[in-house]
Amino acid sequence: RKGNVVVTGASSGLGLATAKALAETGKWNVIMACRDFLKAERAAKAAGMSKDNYTVMHLNLASLESVRQFIKNFQYSGMPLDVLVCNAAVYFPTANEPTYTAEGFEMSVGVNHLGHFLLARELLEDLKNSDYPSKRLIIVGSITGNTNTLAGNVPPKANLGDLRGLAGGLNGLNGSTMIDGGQFDGAKAYKDSKVCNMLMMQEFHRRYHEDTGITFASLYPGCIATTGLFREHIPLFRLLFPPFQKYITKGFVSEDEAGKRLAQVVSDPSLTKSGVYWSWNKNSASFENQLSEEASDPEKARRVWELSEKLVGLA
Ligand code: NDP
């Protein structure tokens, strides 16, 4: 049978390119989990994806209610779940004020981390029950959260601190909208959320890999300077960022190529190792990359896991 893969945020950028790459093999039914149903349908059509290879299902990660509804709809469809890809993200580098999810969490961490955390936790049982030969849970990470890299050292740096803001509910009512309890900073909030993504992948691995056989993985696909992720940035940045990445840092990767990389992590029989953060070298060969000290701290991972459980209503 075909594999069933759920990809969040498949209506543009990396998610769409991955959906396309998987659909083209004819071996996958891609469930495009998107907040804008019509946009996703149009994107799939424009990408030339055949109706036989994908299904669009509504998911708004900025609402835990919507996450729960998506899970119900997916389970009601009767499809087994073979691979889950947590890809969707928002980034507000120029915002002066925070925005909030339906539950009142700061939006970047709320969507990128908390929404995905609830989704992945609640779908773990479905993954476990699948009879697919290689079941995987993939959480897209980023270099920007890794302070052991050049890109990760561009200020403001990711730093979860002692997690006091997360413990306080991340809602600006009782404390701070930032995980470390500091002043709101949109660029930092995004980087912090990516650290959470990478920490959660490893915590899933520690808690569930041995018992379930599920492969847990994260990746940095390269700098895809052309995606909608930078839509909130100032125009000059949007103009100069792609050539800067192409010619100066040479980290630039096209959406197509990045989609192929993520599709590899979904389906390549040689990428079954669990607990790994994948990257690609200049020749587009995959290798196991090192995470920064903070992004690989098991004690921090455990605490983020437990505090997040409380915020999304799992504990
Ligand atoms: P895009 O902005 O193109 O894609 C993000 C996707 O997330 C869109 O489909 C968007 O939906 C969706 N999304 C946003 N908010 C929600 C929500 N509340 N509920 C459901 N879906 C939502 O950015 P990218 O493709 O660049 O980003 C994809 C992933 O890649 C992210 O995890 C990002 O951190 C990561 N990444 C990107 C890099 C880059 O250089 N671009 C580098 C490293 C990692 P809609 O289409 O409706 O806006």
Side-chain angles (χ1 to χ4, degrees):
R1 68 171 172 89
K2 273 187 182 179
N4 290 303
V5 53
V6 169
V7 181
T8 68
S11 47
S12 73
L14 176 61
L16 177 61
T18 305
K20 180 174 186 250
L22 290 167
E24 275 170 356
T25 65
K27 294 180 183 155
W28 293 93
N29 172 38
V30 184
I31 296 101
M32 302 169 72
C34 299
R35 62 176 166 179
D36 185 335
F37 194 94
L38 198 61
K39 181 179 177 185
E41 278 289 355
R42 284 189 177 136
K45 238 195 211 125
M49 290 165 64
S50 148
K51 212 42 203 123
D52 304 337
N53 298 328
Y54 74 91
T55 316
V56 176
M57 283 177 89
H58 184 258
L59 167 67
N60 183 355
L61 289 157
S63 154
L64 299 181
E65 190 64 40
S66 170
V67 173
R68 293 195 180 282
Q69 192 57 51
F70 171 83
I71 293 163
K72 271 195 204 136
N73 293 347
F74 179 78
Q75 289 170 341
Y76 187 75
S77 77
M79 286 183 266
L81 177 65
D82 307 317
V83 179
L84 170 61
V85 181
C86 298
N87 160 77
V90 286
Y91 175 46
F92 305 109
T94 57
N96 296 318
E97 294 293 332
T99 46
Y100 298 96
T101 67
E103 287 76 22
F105 306 128
E106 185 282 314
M107 188 68 85
S108 339
V109 175
V111 167
N112 307 358
H113 164 55
L114 292 170
H116 278 136
F117 181 67
L118 178 62
L119 181 73
R121 282 290 300 274
E122 293 292 69
L123 286 177
L124 198 68
E125 201 57 30
D126 299 72
L127 272 177
K128 207 170 112 181
N129 293 335
S130 141
D131 61 358
Y132 206 69
S134 180
K135 308 179 275 198
R136 305 182 190 185
L137 168 52
I138 299 154
I139 309 178
V140 177
S142 179
I143 198 170
T144 53
N146 277 302
T147 50
N148 59 339
T149 65
L150 195 63
N153 270 299
V154 177
K157 291 191 214 175
N159 178 9
L160 307 188
D162 63 4
L163 307 177
R164 69 178 66 179
L166 191 65
L170 214 68
N171 57 26
L173 284 179
N174 321 317
S176 169
T177 54
M178 300 293 289
I179 292 179
D180 66 359
Q183 281 278 344
F184 175 72
D185 180 322
K188 180 173 183 299
Y190 169 79
K191 294 177 188 182
D192 290 350
S193 77
K194 290 279 117 187
V195 172
C196 291
N197 286 157
M198 294 178 281
L199 285 173
M200 291 307 91
M201 176 280 284
Q202 297 161 87
E203 190 66 14
F204 269 112
H205 167 73
R206 280 188 287 269
R207 289 178 187 239
Y208 297 108
H209 173 65
E210 226 172 270
D211 290 350
T212 63
I214 297 169
T215 296
F216 299 96
S218 185
L219 70 152
Y220 172 62
C223 183
I224 330 158
T226 51
T227 72
L229 198 64
F230 306 101
R231 66 169 82 76
E232 307 280 341
H233 226 301
I234 56 168
L236 186 65
F237 178 89
R238 281 187 273 128
L239 182 71
L240 297 178
F241 192 51
F244 173 73
Q245 291 294 347
K246 247 182 216 159
Y247 305 114
I248 313 291
T249 71
K250 305 219 160 75
F252 179 88
V253 64
S254 69
E255 292 182 30
D256 260 13
E257 174 60 23
K260 284 184 191 139
R261 291 177 178 182
L262 178 45
Q264 237 180 303
V265 182
V266 169
S267 65
D268 193 317
S270 66
L271 300 191
T272 51
K273 189 165 171 193
S274 184
V276 173
Y277 167 64
W278 296 105
S279 295
W280 284 260
N281 66 22
K282 285 192 200 85
N283 307 319
S284 269
S286 57
F287 67 94
E288 279 180 43
N289 207 345
Q290 290 297 311
L291 288 160
S292 70
E293 198 179 322
E294 179 169 54
S296 53
D297 178 343
E299 177 56 22
K300 210 163 240 186
R302 186 184 59 79
R303 290 194 51 227
V304 170
W305 179 282
E306 287 168 2
L307 291 170
S308 303
E309 275 185 328
K310 282 192 192 134
L311 295 185
V312 303
L314 286 171

